[in-house]
Amino acid sequence: MPSVIRDEHTVLRDYSDFHQSAEVFRSTTPASDAELAEVLRFAADHELDVRVQGRHHSMNGSSLPRSGELLIYTSGLNHYRCERVDTITVGAGAVVFDVDQMLRSWGFALRLVNDGGRPTATAAGFVSAGGIGNETWIYGGFWETVKQVKVYTVAGELLTLAPGDPLFRWLFGSMGQLGVIAEVTLRVEPLEEGDKPEYPLGPEYPLGPKYPLGPEYPLGRAGVVAHEPHEWEKNFWLTLFVPDDDAPEARALLDGLAAAYPTAWKRRNNYLYPIQFHTFNPPLIYPKDESFSAVGVWGQSPDGKTFDFAKLAEMERRFDMVVRKKPDWRRYIQSEMTFGERDWPSTFGDQVYADFAARKHELDPQHRLNPGVVFPRR
Ligand SMILES: Cc1cc2nc3c(=O)[nH]c(=O)nc-3n(C[C@H](O)[C@H](O)[C@H](O)COP(=O)(O)OP(=O)(O)OC[C@H]3O[C@@H](n4cnc5c(N)ncnc54)[C@H](O)[C@@H]3O)c2cc1C
């Protein structure tokens, strides 16, 4: 058994505070690709189910270990390398916001980070969710800013995937079902505050850097991405990915829902992210090749500490009933609080779910990776 595997007697929660882990499980914090591969091979040899956790900022319980599982924390995979003038390669556990802050201190930036101005998802967690933010109206989703992903199958085989690879698009929004991400290579831009193009943009808006990054990019630099822990207040979100023309209708639905549960939360403003289409959309996020809109409503817990989960669950049931009647609408299920058993084929759409299941079967036929979330446990 790799020496880095330990027994944990503790209960973990994700950002929802609703979902919780088993009380006893095994865990490990690999500090390199080699350690990660060794752990995965050990788990394969012993037929252990594997759970992966970044910053546990998803709110659906998908990052929390069940009884008997081996939990892989990715916090030790927090390295970076500046290998090319227009990219940075970071470990799965590097926090996207922190990577951006580091680049900004050098005069560069990522194309897309989470909204809210504070650290949240890791690089692999953002891939596993999909990833949207303030700049999606220019660059599209996070998927358009990723140049390469190194991912281990649950059996420990390394795959290096780039945008042309048929599997690449399935990683985004996959909730860790297809493999364990070890590294992500991201596009880098020079900092050009105040020089953003006017909205709306056509798909012809160039994706390449606007000018060569120049010699000051610290080519060859490598190290660890520093992380300052930050507190976030407790929020509840409901986000819909819809065709642009449906955005007003989606907004009206969310407004109606929010108004029907005035005491469930301290409501905050609605939000709308136009998501520009460039080269592809991940089928698990939005299955058509076109620009679309993320429309959402959110609120804080009424007492600043916790939510009345029964009320939120009732709200979600009503929400799901309406969304189910809209074949072109999708929820941002990968990141948001969910309750009870979920009908996954209808969540992703029957065809997308069947295609996803085929890829899952190919890569993880025994359903050992993050089991019981999207696909049934063995
Ligand atoms: C305060 C807050 C603000 C947010 N803001 C935004 C935002 O602006 N835009 C946006 O798009 N989302 C946002 N989110 C959602 C967030 O991006 C997602 O929930 C994301 O998945 C969290 O990343 P994480 O590193 O915490 O992953 P976790 O929650 O730990 O894991 C999420 C899923 O990914 C899997 N996973 C994690 N690491 C790996 C890996 N290395 N390999 C394979 N699978 C893995 C886990 O098993 C799990 O299924 C926000 C969430 C919070 C709490």
Side-chain angles (χ1 to χ4, degrees), residues 15 52-58 62-63 74 92 114-115 120-122 124-126 128-129 131-133 175-176 179-181 232 237 273 332 334-335 370:
Y15 179 82
V52 191
Q53 185 176 102
R55 295 244 305 149
H56 52 84
H57 266 198
S58 52
S62 62
S63 69
T74 62
N114 59 279
D115 205 356
T120 164
T122 61
F126 219 38
S128 303
I132 56 170
M175 302 173 77
V180 182
I181 296 171
W232 284 81
W237 287 267
Y273 297 96
Y332 197 3
Q334 291 86 347
S335 73
N370 293 324

Side-chain angles (χ1 to χ4, degrees), residues 257 261 309-319 339:
L257 201 65
Y261 294 89
F309 294 118
K311 257 190 205 145
L312 295 186
E314 193 188 313
M315 196 165 164
E316 186 193 38
R317 264 195 305 279
R318 273 180 68 170
F319 183 53
F339 302 90

Side-chain angles (χ1 to χ4, degrees), residues 257-269:
L257 201 65
Y261 294 89
T263 57
W265 55 2
K266 262 198 247 159
R267 187 170 164 194
R268 305 179 76 167
N269 53 319

Side-chain angles (χ1 to χ4, degrees), residues 8-337:
E8 275 204 55
H9 296 257
T10 185
V11 174
L12 304 178
R13 291 170 191 274
D14 61 15
Y15 179 82
S16 71
D17 270 351
F18 174 75
H19 298 286
Q20 58 182 56
S21 71
E23 288 174 13
V24 183
F25 53 91
R26 278 190 269 187
S27 73
T28 181
T29 312
S32 65
D33 282 22
E35 275 185 27
L36 174 60
E38 187 191 1
V39 162
L40 289 172
R41 282 194 291 268
F42 171 83
D45 289 347
H46 294 82
E47 297 194 356
L48 292 177
D49 289 343
V50 173
R51 182 76 42 188
V52 191
Q53 185 176 102
R55 295 244 305 149
H56 52 84
H57 266 198
S58 52
M59 298 195 270
N60 45 37
S62 62
S63 69
L64 298 172
R66 280 59 165 171
S67 180
E69 291 184 356
L70 171 62
L71 174 65
I72 299 177
Y73 294 107
T74 62
S75 51
L77 302 170
N78 58 352
H79 55 276
Y80 73 86
R81 294 190 307 274
C82 301
E83 290 168 326
R84 291 175 38 146
V85 288
D86 58 355
T87 64
I88 187 164
T89 296
V90 299
V95 173
V96 173
F97 187 85
D98 295 336
V99 175
D100 185 61
Q101 290 296 108
M102 181 177 77
L103 285 167
R104 281 171 186 271
S105 73
W106 305 339
F108 299 87
L110 293 180
R111 288 190 161 178
L112 187 82
V113 295
N114 59 279
D115 205 356
R118 279 169 284 172
T120 164
T122 61
F126 219 38
V127 170
S128 303
I132 56 170
N134 271 334
E135 310 288 280
T136 44
W137 64 275
I138 304 172
Y139 298 121
F142 193 55
W143 50 92
E144 293 284 10
T145 79
V146 177
K147 293 270 282 193
Q148 184 176 285
V149 180
K150 274 168 88 176
V151 55
Y152 285 92
T153 66
V154 72
E157 184 198 345
L158 179 63
L159 308 175
T160 301
L161 303 175
D165 194 300
L167 196 55
F168 184 79
R169 63 182 57 205
W170 288 93
L171 294 176
F172 296 87
S174 64
M175 302 173 77
Q177 288 298 318
L178 299 178
V180 182
I181 296 171
E183 265 189 356
V184 182
T185 300
L186 299 164
R187 291 171 186 270
V188 172
E189 288 274 305
L191 260 183
E192 289 179 282
E193 296 295 356
D195 187 23
K196 292 282 185 278
E198 292 295 310
Y199 183 79
L201 298 159
E204 70 280 1
Y205 179 70
L207 272 174
K210 279 164 233 132
Y211 55 79
L213 295 191
E216 66 275 43
Y217 187 67
L219 199 58
R221 190 180 289 179
V224 163
V225 179
H227 175 65
E228 286 290 325
H230 277 69
E231 285 302 312
W232 284 81
E233 63 287 359
K234 289 293 168 191
N235 291 301
F236 177 70
W237 287 267
L238 290 171
T239 307
L240 283 170
F241 296 133
V242 300
D244 287 339
D245 288 347
D246 289 357
E249 189 186 346
R251 188 169 200 148
L253 162 71
L254 291 165
D255 277 341
L257 201 65
Y261 294 89
T263 57
W265 55 2
K266 262 198 247 159
R267 187 170 164 194
R268 305 179 76 167
N269 53 319
N270 294 5
Y271 51 90
L272 168 75
Y273 297 96
I275 300 173
Q276 179 70 28
F277 179 78
H278 284 286
T279 59
F280 75 97
N281 284 329
L284 295 166
I285 295 292
Y286 188 79
K288 290 187 182 168
D289 281 349
E290 62 187 25
S291 297
F292 61 102
S293 296
V295 185
V297 62
W298 64 315
Q300 265 176 295
S301 65
D303 63 359
K305 291 183 202 135
T306 188
F307 284 101
D308 177 342
F309 294 118
K311 257 190 205 145
L312 295 186
E314 193 188 313
M315 196 165 164
E316 186 193 38
R317 264 195 305 279
R318 273 180 68 170
F319 183 53
D320 277 336
M321 262 164 31
V322 181
V323 177
R324 222 170 281 139
K325 292 183 197 142
K326 297 283 186 183
D328 292 339
W329 293 15
R330 295 286 180 274
R331 286 188 58 183
Y332 197 3
I333 201 72
Q334 291 86 347
S335 73
E336 297 183 349
M337 210 185 297

